[in-house]
Amino acid sequence: MYNNIIRREKVIKNNPRKSIHGQWSSKLIFIFAATGSAVGLGNIWKFPWMTGENGGGAFVLIYIVSVLIIALPIMMAEVFIGRHGKQNPVASLKYLANESSSFNFIEVDKSLNRVRSKRQSYSNYDDYSNWQLVGWAGIIAGILILSFYSVIAGWTISYIFKAATGVFDAISLEQSQRLFNDFISDPEKLLAWHTMFMIFTCYIVAKGVRGGLEKAVKFFIPSLFFLLICLAIYSMTLPGFYDGISYMFIPDIAKIDSNVILSAMGMAFFSLSIGMGSLMIYGSYLSDKSSITEVTAIVAFADTFVAILAGIIIFPMVFTYNLDPSSAGPGLIFQTLPIAFGAMPGGSIIATLFFILLFFAAITSSISLIEPAISYMVEQYSLTRAKATFRMGFITWVLGLGTILSFNYLSEYKFLGMTFFNLLDNFTSKVMLPLGGLLMAVFVGFIVKRNIVEEELKLNTIIFNSWRLIIRFIAPIAVTLIFINGLI
Ligand code: PHE
């Protein structure tokens, strides 16, 4: 993929209108990269925390429904925009908007059956389109998310060292909570780990050394699966297993309110990396021969599987140690997992391995969070990758300071009842991503010409029509209603 990025950027620099056609060497590499983007802290850190905060089973149920009827169809739309536009999100949206507004262009294209090669000669190519705004909003959302994501990823790096040095050995609940609270109340430490994580991310993004990393996903996602399954088996042996599982899978319908629904939907967007252009970029490298439906379904399945597994591990622990799932907050996994690791034979090795895998999962997501911004700056302003990464990385790093301080010095400073971190997290997951996704759905459903989408998705008519119905009506209406209700 790295070579493709460089090739694409060279072509664009030399001639912005030339074909910008990079391709994944195979469908598998797309699946690896997109799974790398989707599977991350969202599944293992955020999902259990959100489930606990939003009433357990009710949240899980709505989460799964949201993935199936809102997130997955929108994911297909987002990947479609990327694959058809083949550029950074802003330019892809602009390109598609212009292409669809030019009727003759499409006609000629169809008859010649040379959709792609006609692209360069399209005269309105440089026109502005309001749809570009969706791309820009996505770039901003990515930077905002990465600013706190990196801080939490920093926690995982720190926990690798804690695990390796045996800090968790026979640790009690109180000790584990104290360990975590002392850690997050020390801004210097958080800053050091946040800085380190940003340096890792920027190094990989700037150098484009991610080809290796993307292939490594093939190794560490299954390893993560395997380790999670082992931990789930361990959880089965805990006295709180039954309570934990019932809490997670038996929905208490009375707990469903508009905020739970909004949180679950936001979580689906966040977890699948939808609504901000990451998957558009990755889609732009997907070969035309691959089925968008197939690859997105695989990614969504893998992502949901990891999240559910994380819940199956955490909640039995929560009930075994008599924690209150609704008030543990973002520290949930950092407080519970060490106790389990500390109690099992070979725990420090397993714990070290676990946090290393979590770190890898976080880094493949963080890369995708910043990529829309980088590709836009490189293609639009002819910056080198290194320069673009440095600038964006620096902005993100500075923003991260707000999150760091919101866990200690500024923890009492609240806006709308939320700390800076909570505000960023809520604003991005519950507002920016769903809104981005909604607009992408409307764009593909109403603006892009039907035949273009049909050709790209190659579905049978019934499935295509059902998908289009979801994209045009069901998903946008659902998101709007959930959104309005949740905000009121
Ligand atoms: N999906 C990632 C996770 O679950 C986070 C992410 C969100 C990545 C949005 C890219 C875009 O950790």
Side-chain angles (χ1 to χ4, degrees):
M1 170 169 175
Y2 167 55
N3 290 338
N4 290 334
I5 297 178
I6 303 297
R7 197 185 323 131
R8 184 173 82 158
E9 282 164 3
K10 275 203 187 120
V11 169
I12 292 169
K13 254 195 207 154
N14 298 340
N15 183 349
R17 293 192 183 199
K18 266 264 156 62
S19 166
I20 318 152
H21 205 127
Q23 274 194 355
W24 292 90
S25 54
S26 77
K27 164 172 97 184
L28 268 188
I29 298 181
F30 171 87
I31 294 176
F32 295 153
T35 310
S37 167
V39 175
L41 296 173
N43 309 60
I44 291 167
W45 158 72
K46 196 174 169 185
F47 180 78
W49 155 38
M50 282 285 122
T51 304
E53 195 167 283
N54 290 287
F59 176 88
V60 174
L61 176 71
I62 299 171
Y63 175 79
I64 292 175
V65 174
S66 305
V67 167
L68 290 177
I69 65 167
I70 300 178
L72 182 58
I74 294 184
M75 191 179 187
M76 291 168 65
E78 180 168 344
V79 174
F80 155 79
I81 298 172
R83 183 165 80 177
H84 195 74
K86 299 222 173 350
Q87 299 152 74
N88 67 73
V90 174
S92 286
L93 282 154
K94 180 167 68 173
Y95 169 74
L96 256 88
N98 287 334
E99 183 189 41
S100 288
S101 68
S102 157
F103 192 67
N104 289 335
F105 173 68
I106 304 301
E107 292 294 290
V108 170
D109 249 9
K110 258 206 111 176
S111 61
L112 290 176
N113 204 11
R114 272 169 44 202
V115 179
R116 304 237 177 282
S117 57
K118 278 306 230 174
R119 170 159 311 168
Q120 301 102 299
S121 61
Y122 181 49
S123 61
N124 280 338
Y125 178 64
D126 283 330
D127 283 358
Y128 172 84
S129 156
N130 283 332
W131 290 102
Q132 279 166 250
L133 290 174
V134 178
W136 281 322
I139 289 174
I140 295 171
I143 299 295
L144 293 179
I145 295 175
L146 183 56
S147 80
F148 68 79
Y149 203 85
S150 162
V151 175
I152 313 296
W155 298 359
T156 64
I157 309 181
S158 155
Y159 269 62
I160 296 175
F161 292 102
K162 288 188 175 46
T165 50
V167 174
F168 303 153
D169 289 347
I171 199 171
S172 68
L173 173 64
E174 291 70 35
Q175 288 168 327
S176 169
Q177 285 177 323
R178 190 155 3 100
L179 183 72
F180 177 74
N181 290 331
D182 287 350
F183 173 60
I184 62 166
S185 46
D186 185 344
E188 278 159 33
K189 275 195 194 140
L190 299 191
L191 179 64
W193 297 119
H194 162 58
T195 308
M196 188 182 260
F197 187 78
M198 278 310 298
I199 291 175
F200 276 131
T201 302
C202 290
Y203 179 81
I204 294 167
V205 171
K207 288 266 180 188
V209 287
R210 30 204 278 215
L213 202 64
E214 265 138 20
K215 291 194 189 97
V217 169
K218 154 174 82 176
F219 163 75
F220 70 73
I221 295 279
S223 316
L224 190 64
F225 274 7
F226 177 72
L227 206 60
L228 289 174
I229 289 174
C230 294
L231 290 174
I233 294 173
Y234 173 82
S235 269
M236 281 180 195
T237 65
L238 295 176
F241 181 71
Y242 180 75
D243 288 340
I245 295 300
S246 333
Y247 177 77
M248 213 183 136
F249 291 111
I250 302 180
D252 177 356
I253 305 296
K255 289 207 173 120
I256 300 183
D257 64 17
S258 48
N259 189 43
V260 169
I261 302 181
L262 179 59
S263 301
M265 180 184 71
M267 186 63 223
F269 279 89
F270 184 89
S271 193
L272 292 184
S273 309
I274 305 170
M276 51 141 300
S278 289
L279 293 178
M280 234 183 251
I281 298 265
Y282 285 3
S284 75
Y285 299 104
L286 179 64
S287 125
D288 289 334
K289 286 184 251 58
S290 311
S291 151
I292 291 182
T293 319
E294 184 191 326
V295 294
T296 49
I298 293 175
V299 174
F301 177 78
D303 187 75
T304 309
F305 183 71
V306 174
I308 300 286
L309 215 48
I312 294 180
I313 294 165
I314 300 293
F315 287 106
M317 294 181 187
V318 167
F319 284 90
T320 303
Y321 307 121
N322 289 320
L323 274 170
D324 174 9
S326 64
S327 63
L332 181 61
I333 68 154
F334 293 95
Q335 294 173 1
T336 47
L337 284 174
I339 317 173
F341 289 134
M344 59 179 79
S348 47
I349 297 173
I350 300 175
T352 312
L353 214 67
F354 174 81
F355 286 109
I356 290 177
L357 289 174
L358 189 55
F359 163 75
F360 271 115
I363 204 124
T364 48
S365 300
S366 67
I367 292 168
S368 73
L369 281 162
I370 203 170
E371 186 63 32
I374 306 302
S375 62
Y376 177 69
M377 294 192 49
V378 170
E379 293 179 5
Q380 200 66 25
Y381 300 112
S382 300
L383 285 180
T384 59
R385 268 192 94 72
K387 271 203 186 119
T389 312
F390 182 77
R391 289 186 197 175
M392 285 302 160
F394 184 72
I395 296 174
T396 314
W397 178 80
V398 172
L399 271 170
L401 304 182
T403 293
I404 289 177
L405 294 175
S406 72
F407 287 109
N408 35 68
Y409 290 136
L410 301 182
S411 60
E412 296 308 317
Y413 282 85
K414 293 194 175 155
F415 182 70
L416 299 172
M418 288 180 269
T419 63
F420 182 78
F421 160 69
N422 288 129
L423 196 69
L424 261 191
D425 174 38
N426 275 308
F427 182 65
T428 48
S429 284
K430 293 184 188 167
V431 181
M432 294 193 83
L433 299 183
L435 217 57
L438 166 86
L439 292 171
M440 286 175 199
V442 170
F443 179 70
V444 174
F446 291 96
I447 306 296
V448 178
K449 291 257 153 58
R450 182 189 163 109
N451 60 352
I452 300 179
V453 190
E454 244 175 339
E455 252 170 56
E456 198 79 49
L457 290 186
K458 297 185 195 77
L459 291 172
N460 83 34
T461 320
I462 298 177
I463 300 183
F464 179 79
N465 284 338
S466 329
W467 171 79
R468 203 165 130 90
L469 186 74
I470 297 182
I471 279 296
R472 300 183 86 188
F473 301 106
I474 299 177
I477 293 173
V479 174
T480 312
L481 287 180
I482 293 172
F483 199 58
I484 293 173
N485 269 317
L487 292 189
I488 299 170

